[in-house]
Amino acid sequence: MVRGATGANGREPIMHQQLSDLVIARLRESITSGQYKPGDRLVEGRIADELDVSRVPVREALRALAVEGLVEVRPRHGAVVASFDPASAREMVQIRATLEGLNARLAAERCTPELVKRIEKVLQEGNAKVAAGETAGLLELNARFHDLLYTAGANAMLAELMRSLRDRSRMLFVNTNDEEVRLTWEEHAAILRAVQSGDAAFAALLAERHVTRAAQYYLDHLAR
């Protein structure tokens, strides 16, 4: 149910037949981008007001995100953003680094010139935002960069596994400062150069290092 032309926060309300799917997508983005932190309560009524929808699709979204591992439903406390214990976080980073490395290796062997141009375009857009100090849209561009690398790897099952893992682990990779953002896009460029040159081993190494370094802040924080 949509209650007005604009939401309480000034954004356009969600208006679509598959309302719950769109609420799921909006909440997933808020969690994985770091807007909601691990342990934050997810209050149905407050979220419904923010998105200008009824509580029903919000409740459905929280249940779906609990299945994905992004939300925990605690007795007498309600829904909260899931937290990673140190061991689980490190295991997830190890798996993702290994899969990203394998995909980069395949991409170096299979990437076409047309795909290289598409990835270069994303890199240019990302670098322009970094240079201008803009953060809006960088998460989307980061996802596009990796999605195109998955396409370049040309292994549909591997790509499906990595997208699923990326959604579950994305909160581990929220950039914390301008230096982290700059390094992320420099590493993207280096991975693409290795892919473009056909150096499969080096592309795999860079991709694995990229994942491990990007998660290091979160891992260090958990260790305290």
Side-chain angles (χ1 to χ4, degrees), residues 1-213:
M1 177 179 179
V2 178
R3 294 193 289 268
T6 58
N9 57 5
R11 290 184 298 188
E12 292 185 6
I14 297 175
M15 302 179 68
H16 194 277
Q17 185 178 355
Q18 296 178 320
L19 188 58
S20 61
D21 289 342
L22 293 178
V23 174
I24 290 170
R26 186 77 64 82
L27 278 179
R28 185 189 292 115
E29 177 66 22
S30 295
I31 292 170
T32 58
S33 68
Q35 180 180 335
Y36 291 127
K37 308 296 183 185
D40 281 356
R41 290 191 64 199
L42 298 168
V43 182
E44 285 182 12
R46 186 183 306 158
I47 294 171
D49 288 341
E50 289 176 353
L51 299 183
D52 206 12
V53 299
S54 73
R55 291 191 181 200
V56 174
V58 174
R59 190 173 303 123
E60 293 172 350
L62 292 175
R63 289 171 181 164
L65 293 175
V67 173
E68 292 184 14
L70 292 177
V71 169
E72 297 174 1
V73 180
R74 299 175 179 173
R76 298 184 298 279
H77 191 72
V80 300
V81 178
S83 302
F84 289 102
D85 63 80
S88 296
R90 285 179 172 80
E91 288 173 359
M92 195 167 292
V93 170
Q94 288 172 351
I95 294 170
R96 183 169 171 185
T98 299
L99 294 181
E100 292 281 357
L102 172 58
N103 182 76
R105 179 184 297 275
L106 294 175
E109 296 170 352
R110 303 172 177 178
C111 194
T112 65
E114 187 273 335
L115 266 175
V116 167
K117 289 180 181 178
R118 291 171 63 188
I119 300 173
E120 286 177 338
K121 185 175 185 298
V122 173
L123 274 177
Q124 291 170 1
E125 293 179 29
N127 287 329
K129 284 186 176 292
V130 172
E134 298 178 9
T135 57
L138 273 178
L139 281 174
E140 180 185 352
L141 287 171
N142 182 75
R144 284 169 55 192
F145 173 83
H146 285 282
D147 281 337
L148 285 170
L149 272 185
Y150 300 164
T151 301
N155 185 311
M157 186 172 293
L158 177 60
E160 182 179 350
L161 287 171
M162 287 191 294
R163 288 190 180 98
S164 175
L165 185 60
R166 186 177 70 192
D167 286 340
R168 290 192 61 193
S169 65
R170 192 168 156 191
M171 66 179 69
L172 300 176
F173 300 90
V174 175
N175 289 312
T176 56
N177 54 52
D178 292 343
E179 179 64 12
E180 288 290 315
V181 173
R182 184 186 64 78
L183 282 172
T184 291
W185 287 88
E186 286 183 354
E187 289 168 358
H188 285 170
I191 292 169
L192 179 58
R193 286 195 297 270
V195 167
Q196 189 173 10
S197 69
D199 192 336
F202 192 43
L205 177 64
L206 291 177
E208 290 181 17
R209 286 180 175 175
H210 172 63
V211 171
T212 302
R213 187 207 59 77

